[in-house]
Amino acid sequence: AVVCRRTAGEGGNLKRKTSGAKKTILLTGGTGFLGSCLLRELIGAHSVILLKRSFSDVGRIADLMPLLRIYDIDRDAWQRVFS
């Protein structure tokens, strides 16, 4: 199995490229392979809101879930996500 090289909270190269201001990122597809790797890059440097389906397999990001705001797009109202 191929896995990302980053661990929770490392932040990767994105931390060095920002101006120091922590941004809020809205991410979809974060439970898939590419999305979970991107999430690992973003989580240390930014605040991430993850939109996923209620039945998505969260195995790849289980260690990151306490660090995220997560919404199930098939169950939560859109107003809740953007409030």
Side-chain angles (χ1 to χ4, degrees):
V2 178
V3 296
C4 301
R5 300 290 182 220
R6 304 263 185 248
T7 60
E10 283 187 16
N13 294 330
L14 295 177
K15 185 179 269 186
R16 289 189 297 262
K17 293 180 183 176
T18 62
S19 62
K22 192 170 190 172
K23 300 180 187 307
T24 299
I25 309 286
L26 179 68
L27 179 65
T28 62
T31 59
F33 177 74
L34 293 177
S36 64
C37 289
L38 177 60
L39 178 59
R40 289 184 185 283
E41 288 287 322
L42 293 171
I43 197 70
H46 303 287
S47 174
V48 180
I49 300 170
L50 177 65
L51 300 182
K52 69 174 196 63
R53 294 182 190 98
S54 61
F55 52 86
S56 294
D57 179 5
V58 295
R60 287 186 183 98
I61 62 164
D63 58 317
L64 301 176
M65 291 182 70
L67 306 173
L68 302 169
R69 285 176 41 200
I70 302 173
Y71 297 95
D72 292 331
I73 59 172
D74 54 341
R75 292 191 178 162
D76 289 319
W78 285 104
Q79 295 83 1
R80 185 170 171 239
V81 175
F82 296 105
S83 61

